[in-house]
Amino acid sequence: MKRVYTAEVTATGGRNGQVKSTDGIIDMPVRLPEGLGGKGGATNPEQLFAAGYSACFQSALQLVASKQQIRLDENSTVTAHVGLDQFDDGRYGLSVQLDVKVDGVDRAKAEELVAQAHEVCPYSVGTKGNIDVKLNVLD
């Protein structure tokens, strides 16, 4: 395997702190969500993960479509729902549902493209076997 890029972000203060990338593009507070008893008012690790996964999956979808000479409609979207789940033993884990809207192709082709994207998306590859990921193709 050959590394082609490395992102570097430093967190201070955990879920009630700050995240900052070495290039300064990300420099923001993180806060425990209100739903978990926090004050909210800032992003949180689950939102950041959802942003990365949805963008990466959309790119993977565009890639697999282009290999079949299919140009996705500009209204095609990927929405990631990232859940913070607590297991019976008290540990925490993540779950993901990707709602994928693929305009411009029929349902069968959309499902095929989404399945192929799931095989090549780095987030999907990295979470395979570790995080429950549900793919939901929207009409």
Side-chain angles (χ1 to χ4, degrees):
M1 184 169 19
K2 175 180 95 171
R3 178 161 302 138
V4 295
Y5 173 73
T6 300
E8 187 176 332
V9 178
T10 300
T12 55
R15 287 184 169 272
N16 286 302
Q18 188 84 9
V19 290
K20 184 174 182 177
S21 60
T22 52
D23 61 8
I25 292 173
I26 296 174
D27 188 0
M28 61 180 59
V30 290
R31 298 287 180 267
L32 191 64
E34 289 181 19
L36 294 176
K39 294 180 182 178
T43 193
N44 59 66
E46 291 73 32
Q47 284 180 333
L48 294 169
F49 188 81
Y53 203 158
S54 61
C56 189
F57 197 90
Q58 180 72 14
S59 289
L61 188 61
Q62 291 168 337
L63 173 70
V64 298
S66 71
K67 287 185 176 185
Q68 297 179 40
Q69 285 76 46
I70 298 171
R71 188 168 189 277
L72 295 181
D73 185 283
E74 62 187 34
N75 293 321
S76 296
T77 60
V78 177
T79 302
H81 304 266
V82 174
L84 177 63
D85 306 320
Q86 188 173 24
F87 298 104
D88 292 337
D89 64 6
R91 294 177 304 129
Y92 290 91
L94 299 175
S95 60
V96 175
Q97 177 174 311
L98 298 177
D99 289 340
V100 186
K101 181 180 168 203
V102 186
D103 285 348
V105 297
D106 65 35
R107 172 107 186 163
K109 178 53 80 173
E111 289 175 352
E112 176 188 319
L113 292 171
V114 167
Q116 290 172 355
H118 193 49
E119 292 299 314
V120 300
C121 171
Y123 276 71
S124 294
V125 171
T127 60
K128 189 173 187 176
N130 298 308
I131 294 177
D132 180 34
V133 178
K134 179 182 176 191
L135 303 175
N136 183 31
V137 178
L138 303 176
D139 290 323

